[in-house]
mmCIF file of all heavy atoms in Angstrom:
data_model
loop_
_atom_site.group_PDB
_atom_site.id
_atom_site.type_symbol
_atom_site.label_atom_id
_atom_site.label_comp_id
_atom_site.label_asym_id
_atom_site.label_seq_id
_atom_site.Cartn_x
_atom_site.Cartn_y
_atom_site.Cartn_z
ATOM 1 N N TYR K 6 68.584 -28.959 68.624
ATOM 2 C CA TYR K 6 68.316 -30.400 68.575
ATOM 3 C C TYR K 6 67.160 -30.747 67.638
ATOM 4 O O TYR K 6 66.793 -31.909 67.532
ATOM 5 C CB TYR K 6 68.034 -30.923 69.991
ATOM 6 C CG TYR K 6 69.192 -30.752 70.921
ATOM 7 C CD1 TYR K 6 69.074 -29.994 72.089
ATOM 8 C CD2 TYR K 6 70.436 -31.344 70.659
ATOM 9 C CE1 TYR K 6 70.161 -29.828 72.964
ATOM 10 C CE2 TYR K 6 71.515 -31.187 71.508
ATOM 11 C CZ TYR K 6 71.366 -30.435 72.653
ATOM 12 O OH TYR K 6 72.446 -30.268 73.503
ATOM 13 N N PHE K 7 66.602 -29.742 66.975
ATOM 14 C CA PHE K 7 65.529 -30.005 66.021
ATOM 15 C C PHE K 7 66.099 -30.600 64.740
ATOM 16 O O PHE K 7 67.241 -30.315 64.364
ATOM 17 C CB PHE K 7 64.805 -28.699 65.660
ATOM 18 C CG PHE K 7 63.834 -28.190 66.705
ATOM 19 C CD1 PHE K 7 63.842 -28.654 68.002
ATOM 20 C CD2 PHE K 7 62.904 -27.238 66.377
ATOM 21 C CE1 PHE K 7 62.961 -28.178 68.953
ATOM 22 C CE2 PHE K 7 62.006 -26.749 67.300
ATOM 23 C CZ PHE K 7 62.024 -27.232 68.595
ATOM 24 N N SER K 8 65.287 -31.394 64.053
ATOM 25 C CA SER K 8 65.679 -31.850 62.715
ATOM 26 C C SER K 8 65.617 -30.680 61.739
ATOM 27 O O SER K 8 65.044 -29.621 62.040
ATOM 28 C CB SER K 8 64.724 -32.960 62.263
ATOM 29 O OG SER K 8 63.415 -32.412 62.026
ATOM 30 N N SER K 9 66.190 -30.856 60.559
ATOM 31 C CA SER K 9 66.164 -29.792 59.559
ATOM 32 C C SER K 9 64.720 -29.453 59.153
ATOM 33 O O SER K 9 64.396 -28.297 58.910
ATOM 34 C CB SER K 9 66.989 -30.189 58.333
ATOM 35 O OG SER K 9 66.470 -31.399 57.762
ATOM 36 N N GLY K 10 63.872 -30.468 59.111
ATOM 37 C CA GLY K 10 62.464 -30.224 58.778
ATOM 38 C C GLY K 10 61.749 -29.427 59.845
ATOM 39 O O GLY K 10 60.933 -28.549 59.537
ATOM 40 N N MET K 11 62.039 -29.715 61.119
ATOM 41 C CA MET K 11 61.422 -28.979 62.216
ATOM 42 C C MET K 11 61.866 -27.511 62.205
ATOM 43 O O MET K 11 61.076 -26.603 62.428
ATOM 44 C CB MET K 11 61.773 -29.620 63.555
ATOM 45 C CG MET K 11 61.119 -30.971 63.782
ATOM 46 S SD MET K 11 61.671 -31.756 65.325
ATOM 47 C CE MET K 11 60.856 -30.705 66.573
ATOM 48 N N LYS K 12 63.151 -27.302 61.925
ATOM 49 C CA LYS K 12 63.662 -25.924 61.862
ATOM 50 C C LYS K 12 62.978 -25.156 60.729
ATOM 51 O O LYS K 12 62.633 -23.981 60.893
ATOM 52 C CB LYS K 12 65.177 -25.934 61.654
ATOM 53 C CG LYS K 12 65.967 -26.399 62.863
ATOM 54 C CD LYS K 12 67.454 -26.462 62.573
ATOM 55 C CE LYS K 12 68.226 -27.000 63.754
ATOM 56 N NZ LYS K 12 69.677 -27.128 63.466
ATOM 57 N N GLN K 13 62.798 -25.823 59.580
ATOM 58 C CA GLN K 13 62.151 -25.149 58.470
ATOM 59 C C GLN K 13 60.699 -24.817 58.789
ATOM 60 O O GLN K 13 60.198 -23.745 58.455
ATOM 61 C CB GLN K 13 62.226 -26.000 57.205
ATOM 62 C CG GLN K 13 61.638 -25.372 55.966
ATOM 63 C CD GLN K 13 62.350 -24.108 55.511
ATOM 64 O OE1 GLN K 13 63.405 -23.756 56.032
ATOM 65 N NE2 GLN K 13 61.764 -23.402 54.543
ATOM 66 N N ARG K 14 60.005 -25.730 59.453
ATOM 67 C CA ARG K 14 58.633 -25.442 59.873
ATOM 68 C C ARG K 14 58.598 -24.223 60.802
ATOM 69 O O ARG K 14 57.699 -23.374 60.667
ATOM 70 C CB ARG K 14 58.034 -26.638 60.607
ATOM 71 C CG ARG K 14 57.564 -27.759 59.705
ATOM 72 C CD ARG K 14 56.589 -28.640 60.470
ATOM 73 N NE ARG K 14 56.186 -29.819 59.758
ATOM 74 C CZ ARG K 14 55.032 -30.447 59.944
ATOM 75 N NH1 ARG K 14 54.167 -29.976 60.821
ATOM 76 N NH2 ARG K 14 54.721 -31.522 59.267
ATOM 77 N N LEU K 15 59.517 -24.153 61.721
ATOM 78 C CA LEU K 15 59.560 -23.029 62.659
ATOM 79 C C LEU K 15 59.794 -21.718 61.910
ATOM 80 O O LEU K 15 59.127 -20.708 62.182
ATOM 81 C CB LEU K 15 60.622 -23.259 63.721
ATOM 82 C CG LEU K 15 60.805 -22.140 64.755
ATOM 83 C CD1 LEU K 15 59.490 -21.827 65.489
ATOM 84 C CD2 LEU K 15 61.895 -22.536 65.768
ATOM 85 N N LYS K 16 60.739 -21.712 60.988
ATOM 86 C CA LYS K 16 60.994 -20.497 60.200
ATOM 87 C C LYS K 16 59.738 -20.047 59.450
ATOM 88 O O LYS K 16 59.392 -18.864 59.437
ATOM 89 C CB LYS K 16 62.126 -20.746 59.195
ATOM 90 C CG LYS K 16 63.486 -20.946 59.808
ATOM 91 C CD LYS K 16 64.505 -21.282 58.729
ATOM 92 C CE LYS K 16 65.859 -21.620 59.316
ATOM 93 N NZ LYS K 16 66.862 -21.933 58.264
ATOM 94 N N LEU K 17 59.054 -21.009 58.833
ATOM 95 C CA LEU K 17 57.847 -20.677 58.084
ATOM 96 C C LEU K 17 56.745 -20.161 58.993
ATOM 97 O O LEU K 17 56.053 -19.196 58.679
ATOM 98 C CB LEU K 17 57.369 -21.900 57.313
ATOM 99 C CG LEU K 17 58.225 -22.325 56.124
ATOM 100 C CD1 LEU K 17 57.752 -23.664 55.568
ATOM 101 C CD2 LEU K 17 58.203 -21.269 55.001
ATOM 102 N N ALA K 18 56.558 -20.826 60.135
ATOM 103 C CA ALA K 18 55.510 -20.415 61.053
ATOM 104 C C ALA K 18 55.764 -19.009 61.580
ATOM 105 O O ALA K 18 54.826 -18.189 61.678
ATOM 106 C CB ALA K 18 55.402 -21.395 62.214
ATOM 107 N N LEU K 19 57.003 -18.707 61.931
ATOM 108 C CA LEU K 19 57.316 -17.371 62.463
ATOM 109 C C LEU K 19 57.065 -16.296 61.390
ATOM 110 O O LEU K 19 56.630 -15.190 61.723
ATOM 111 C CB LEU K 19 58.767 -17.326 62.937
ATOM 112 C CG LEU K 19 59.080 -18.132 64.202
ATOM 113 C CD1 LEU K 19 60.593 -18.105 64.485
ATOM 114 C CD2 LEU K 19 58.302 -17.611 65.396
ATOM 115 N N ALA K 20 57.354 -16.591 60.154
ATOM 116 C CA ALA K 20 57.152 -15.617 59.073
ATOM 117 C C ALA K 20 55.673 -15.476 58.710
ATOM 118 O O ALA K 20 55.131 -14.372 58.686
ATOM 119 C CB ALA K 20 57.971 -16.002 57.857
ATOM 120 N N ILE K 21 55.033 -16.610 58.436
ATOM 121 C CA ILE K 21 53.666 -16.590 57.929
ATOM 122 C C ILE K 21 52.672 -16.157 59.008
ATOM 123 O O ILE K 21 51.685 -15.466 58.732
ATOM 124 C CB ILE K 21 53.286 -17.957 57.358
ATOM 125 C CG1 ILE K 21 54.157 -18.269 56.137
ATOM 126 C CG2 ILE K 21 51.799 -18.012 56.973
ATOM 127 C CD1 ILE K 21 54.005 -19.701 55.626
ATOM 128 N N CYS K 22 52.930 -16.528 60.248
ATOM 129 C CA CYS K 22 51.976 -16.298 61.345
ATOM 130 C C CYS K 22 52.266 -15.021 62.126
ATOM 131 O O CYS K 22 51.669 -14.788 63.178
ATOM 132 C CB CYS K 22 51.924 -17.490 62.278
ATOM 133 S SG CYS K 22 51.355 -18.990 61.475
ATOM 134 N N SER K 23 53.154 -14.204 61.631
ATOM 135 C CA SER K 23 53.416 -12.906 62.242
ATOM 136 C C SER K 23 52.619 -11.816 61.543
ATOM 137 O O SER K 23 52.252 -11.943 60.376
ATOM 138 C CB SER K 23 54.915 -12.562 62.188
ATOM 139 O OG SER K 23 55.650 -13.402 63.036
ATOM 140 N N LYS K 24 52.368 -10.764 62.283
ATOM 141 C CA LYS K 24 51.588 -9.650 61.751
ATOM 142 C C LYS K 24 52.480 -8.824 60.822
ATOM 143 O O LYS K 24 53.318 -8.046 61.244
ATOM 144 C CB LYS K 24 51.079 -8.790 62.918
ATOM 145 C CG LYS K 24 50.059 -7.744 62.509
ATOM 146 C CD LYS K 24 49.566 -7.003 63.741
ATOM 147 C CE LYS K 24 48.537 -5.944 63.355
ATOM 148 N NZ LYS K 24 48.044 -5.199 64.536
ATOM 149 N N SER K 25 52.300 -9.014 59.524
ATOM 150 C CA SER K 25 53.074 -8.269 58.519
ATOM 151 C C SER K 25 52.234 -8.129 57.267
ATOM 152 O O SER K 25 51.403 -8.999 56.949
ATOM 153 C CB SER K 25 54.387 -9.004 58.189
ATOM 154 O OG SER K 25 54.132 -10.245 57.575
ATOM 155 N N ASN K 26 52.478 -7.072 56.546
ATOM 156 C CA ASN K 26 51.762 -6.833 55.293
ATOM 157 C C ASN K 26 52.490 -7.446 54.094
ATOM 158 O O ASN K 26 51.888 -7.606 53.021
ATOM 159 C CB ASN K 26 51.594 -5.319 55.070
ATOM 160 C CG ASN K 26 50.662 -4.703 56.082
ATOM 161 O OD1 ASN K 26 49.516 -5.126 56.236
ATOM 162 N ND2 ASN K 26 51.135 -3.675 56.791
ATOM 163 N N PHE K 27 53.761 -7.738 54.273
ATOM 164 C CA PHE K 27 54.639 -8.124 53.166
ATOM 165 C C PHE K 27 55.363 -9.412 53.579
ATOM 166 O O PHE K 27 56.118 -9.410 54.556
ATOM 167 C CB PHE K 27 55.622 -6.976 52.915
ATOM 168 C CG PHE K 27 56.476 -7.106 51.693
ATOM 169 C CD1 PHE K 27 56.234 -8.020 50.695
ATOM 170 C CD2 PHE K 27 57.568 -6.241 51.546
ATOM 171 C CE1 PHE K 27 57.039 -8.111 49.589
ATOM 172 C CE2 PHE K 27 58.400 -6.320 50.450
ATOM 173 C CZ PHE K 27 58.141 -7.262 49.464
ATOM 174 N N LEU K 28 55.103 -10.495 52.853
ATOM 175 C CA LEU K 28 55.637 -11.807 53.224
ATOM 176 C C LEU K 28 56.490 -12.344 52.085
ATOM 177 O O LEU K 28 56.015 -12.493 50.965
ATOM 178 C CB LEU K 28 54.476 -12.756 53.516
ATOM 179 C CG LEU K 28 54.783 -14.200 53.852
ATOM 180 C CD1 LEU K 28 55.704 -14.311 55.073
ATOM 181 C CD2 LEU K 28 53.489 -14.988 54.083
ATOM 182 N N LEU K 29 57.771 -12.609 52.389
ATOM 183 C CA LEU K 29 58.714 -13.127 51.424
ATOM 184 C C LEU K 29 59.167 -14.509 51.836
ATOM 185 O O LEU K 29 59.627 -14.709 52.968
ATOM 186 C CB LEU K 29 59.942 -12.210 51.332
ATOM 187 C CG LEU K 29 59.701 -10.800 50.779
ATOM 188 C CD1 LEU K 29 60.869 -9.896 51.095
ATOM 189 C CD2 LEU K 29 59.475 -10.852 49.275
ATOM 190 N N LEU K 30 59.041 -15.478 50.932
ATOM 191 C CA LEU K 30 59.429 -16.857 51.214
ATOM 192 C C LEU K 30 60.391 -17.326 50.128
ATOM 193 O O LEU K 30 60.068 -17.283 48.928
ATOM 194 C CB LEU K 30 58.202 -17.767 51.253
ATOM 195 C CG LEU K 30 57.084 -17.410 52.218
ATOM 196 C CD1 LEU K 30 55.926 -18.373 52.071
ATOM 197 C CD2 LEU K 30 57.597 -17.375 53.662
ATOM 198 N N ASP K 31 61.542 -17.813 50.548
ATOM 199 C CA ASP K 31 62.540 -18.327 49.609
ATOM 200 C C ASP K 31 62.636 -19.838 49.774
ATOM 201 O O ASP K 31 62.958 -20.337 50.863
ATOM 202 C CB ASP K 31 63.906 -17.681 49.905
ATOM 203 C CG ASP K 31 64.894 -17.852 48.773
ATOM 204 O OD1 ASP K 31 64.574 -18.578 47.804
ATOM 205 O OD2 ASP K 31 65.976 -17.254 48.838
ATOM 206 N N GLU K 32 62.291 -20.588 48.732
ATOM 207 C CA GLU K 32 62.318 -22.040 48.726
ATOM 208 C C GLU K 32 61.672 -22.615 49.978
ATOM 209 O O GLU K 32 62.296 -23.314 50.784
ATOM 210 C CB GLU K 32 63.747 -22.556 48.579
ATOM 211 C CG GLU K 32 64.403 -22.096 47.274
ATOM 212 C CD GLU K 32 65.776 -22.696 47.045
ATOM 213 O OE1 GLU K 32 66.347 -23.217 48.011
ATOM 214 O OE2 GLU K 32 66.265 -22.637 45.919
ATOM 215 N N PRO K 33 60.388 -22.339 50.196
ATOM 216 C CA PRO K 33 59.742 -22.646 51.472
ATOM 217 C C PRO K 33 59.644 -24.115 51.831
ATOM 218 O O PRO K 33 59.587 -24.446 53.026
ATOM 219 C CB PRO K 33 58.349 -22.025 51.323
ATOM 220 C CG PRO K 33 58.146 -21.878 49.854
ATOM 221 C CD PRO K 33 59.494 -21.600 49.287
ATOM 222 N N THR K 34 59.621 -25.036 50.875
ATOM 223 C CA THR K 34 59.477 -26.450 51.249
ATOM 224 C C THR K 34 60.816 -27.176 51.366
ATOM 225 O O THR K 34 60.845 -28.396 51.471
ATOM 226 C CB THR K 34 58.570 -27.193 50.257
ATOM 227 O OG1 THR K 34 59.134 -27.160 48.944
ATOM 228 C CG2 THR K 34 57.179 -26.582 50.232
ATOM 229 N N THR K 35 61.916 -26.418 51.356
ATOM 230 C CA THR K 35 63.225 -27.047 51.600
ATOM 231 C C THR K 35 63.213 -27.825 52.897
ATOM 232 O O THR K 35 62.753 -27.317 53.924
ATOM 233 C CB THR K 35 64.317 -25.970 51.670
ATOM 234 O OG1 THR K 35 64.404 -25.306 50.401
ATOM 235 C CG2 THR K 35 65.678 -26.565 51.994
ATOM 236 N N ASN K 36 63.666 -29.071 52.871
ATOM 237 C CA ASN K 36 63.770 -29.966 54.035
ATOM 238 C C ASN K 36 62.421 -30.472 54.553
ATOM 239 O O ASN K 36 62.368 -31.129 55.602
ATOM 240 C CB ASN K 36 64.530 -29.295 55.194
ATOM 241 C CG ASN K 36 65.958 -29.000 54.838
ATOM 242 O OD1 ASN K 36 66.633 -29.803 54.200
ATOM 243 N ND2 ASN K 36 66.451 -27.819 55.237
ATOM 244 N N LEU K 37 61.321 -30.180 53.872
ATOM 245 C CA LEU K 37 60.025 -30.651 54.310
ATOM 246 C C LEU K 37 59.667 -31.951 53.608
ATOM 247 O O LEU K 37 59.856 -32.095 52.400
ATOM 248 C CB LEU K 37 58.921 -29.613 54.050
ATOM 249 C CG LEU K 37 59.040 -28.281 54.783
ATOM 250 C CD1 LEU K 37 57.790 -27.431 54.476
ATOM 251 C CD2 LEU K 37 59.181 -28.466 56.282
ATOM 252 N N ASP K 38 59.094 -32.894 54.391
ATOM 253 C CA ASP K 38 58.579 -34.120 53.788
ATOM 254 C C ASP K 38 57.177 -33.867 53.245
ATOM 255 O O ASP K 38 56.673 -32.735 53.285
ATOM 256 C CB ASP K 38 58.589 -35.281 54.790
ATOM 257 C CG ASP K 38 57.781 -34.982 56.055
ATOM 258 O OD1 ASP K 38 56.971 -34.032 56.045
ATOM 259 O OD2 ASP K 38 57.980 -35.680 57.045
ATOM 260 N N GLU K 39 56.520 -34.920 52.739
ATOM 261 C CA GLU K 39 55.211 -34.746 52.122
ATOM 262 C C GLU K 39 54.202 -34.151 53.097
ATOM 263 O O GLU K 39 53.420 -33.272 52.747
ATOM 264 C CB GLU K 39 54.703 -36.085 51.608
ATOM 265 C CG GLU K 39 53.393 -36.006 50.842
ATOM 266 C CD GLU K 39 52.977 -37.341 50.267
ATOM 267 O OE1 GLU K 39 53.779 -38.290 50.283
ATOM 268 O OE2 GLU K 39 51.822 -37.442 49.772
ATOM 269 N N GLN K 40 54.237 -34.616 54.349
ATOM 270 C CA GLN K 40 53.333 -34.074 55.358
ATOM 271 C C GLN K 40 53.630 -32.614 55.617
ATOM 272 O O GLN K 40 52.734 -31.783 55.769
ATOM 273 C CB GLN K 40 53.444 -34.873 56.646
ATOM 274 C CG GLN K 40 52.479 -34.424 57.737
ATOM 275 C CD GLN K 40 52.702 -35.169 59.040
ATOM 276 O OE1 GLN K 40 53.827 -35.568 59.370
ATOM 277 N NE2 GLN K 40 51.631 -35.377 59.782
ATOM 278 N N GLY K 41 54.919 -32.271 55.660
ATOM 279 C CA GLY K 41 55.312 -30.895 55.889
ATOM 280 C C GLY K 41 54.875 -29.980 54.757
ATOM 281 O O GLY K 41 54.489 -28.830 55.007
ATOM 282 N N VAL K 42 54.946 -30.471 53.527
ATOM 283 C CA VAL K 42 54.481 -29.664 52.385
ATOM 284 C C VAL K 42 52.998 -29.388 52.522
ATOM 285 O O VAL K 42 52.543 -28.265 52.288
ATOM 286 C CB VAL K 42 54.792 -30.391 51.072
ATOM 287 C CG1 VAL K 42 54.124 -29.674 49.889
ATOM 288 C CG2 VAL K 42 56.299 -30.470 50.845
ATOM 289 N N GLY K 43 52.237 -30.398 52.906
ATOM 290 C CA GLY K 43 50.798 -30.197 53.107
ATOM 291 C C GLY K 43 50.523 -29.189 54.222
ATOM 292 O O GLY K 43 49.601 -28.342 54.105
ATOM 293 N N TRP K 44 51.300 -29.239 55.272
ATOM 294 C CA TRP K 44 51.190 -28.283 56.386
ATOM 295 C C TRP K 44 51.493 -26.861 55.902
ATOM 296 O O TRP K 44 50.770 -25.918 56.223
ATOM 297 C CB TRP K 44 52.161 -28.697 57.485
ATOM 298 C CG TRP K 44 52.303 -27.731 58.612
ATOM 299 C CD1 TRP K 44 51.527 -27.647 59.739
ATOM 300 C CD2 TRP K 44 53.302 -26.715 58.765
ATOM 301 N NE1 TRP K 44 51.965 -26.645 60.553
ATOM 302 C CE2 TRP K 44 53.059 -26.057 59.990
ATOM 303 C CE3 TRP K 44 54.392 -26.311 57.977
ATOM 304 C CZ2 TRP K 44 53.861 -25.005 60.440
ATOM 305 C CZ3 TRP K 44 55.171 -25.260 58.424
ATOM 306 C CH2 TRP K 44 54.909 -24.631 59.642
ATOM 307 N N TYR K 45 52.534 -26.703 55.092
ATOM 308 C CA TYR K 45 52.895 -25.405 54.520
ATOM 309 C C TYR K 45 51.742 -24.849 53.664
ATOM 310 O O TYR K 45 51.359 -23.686 53.795
ATOM 311 C CB TYR K 45 54.161 -25.536 53.678
ATOM 312 C CG TYR K 45 54.337 -24.524 52.577
ATOM 313 C CD1 TYR K 45 54.663 -23.201 52.877
ATOM 314 C CD2 TYR K 45 54.152 -24.888 51.243
ATOM 315 C CE1 TYR K 45 54.809 -22.261 51.871
ATOM 316 C CE2 TYR K 45 54.303 -23.952 50.232
ATOM 317 C CZ TYR K 45 54.632 -22.633 50.541
ATOM 318 O OH TYR K 45 54.760 -21.707 49.544
#
């Protein structure tokens, strides 16, 4: 029931905020509005 922007935020948060040495992001601001881009 999340919007596309909320889902993208969740994907980014799970990747960026997890303990990993190697972080890969593909088109990270897809579906994000201006506020979401600032958050990213």
Side-chain angles (χ1 to χ4, degrees):
Y6 298 120
F7 283 16
S8 68
S9 58
M11 291 175 71
K12 290 177 183 177
Q13 182 64 8
R14 282 200 186 207
L15 178 56
K16 292 176 186 180
L17 289 171
L19 291 175
I21 296 171
C22 298
S23 290
K24 190 176 180 181
S25 65
N26 292 305
F27 188 15
L28 177 58
L29 294 165
L30 304 177
D31 197 352
E32 299 185 346
T34 62
T35 297
N36 296 319
L37 296 185
D38 58 16
E39 185 176 350
Q40 183 184 32
V42 171
W44 173 86
Y45 154 74

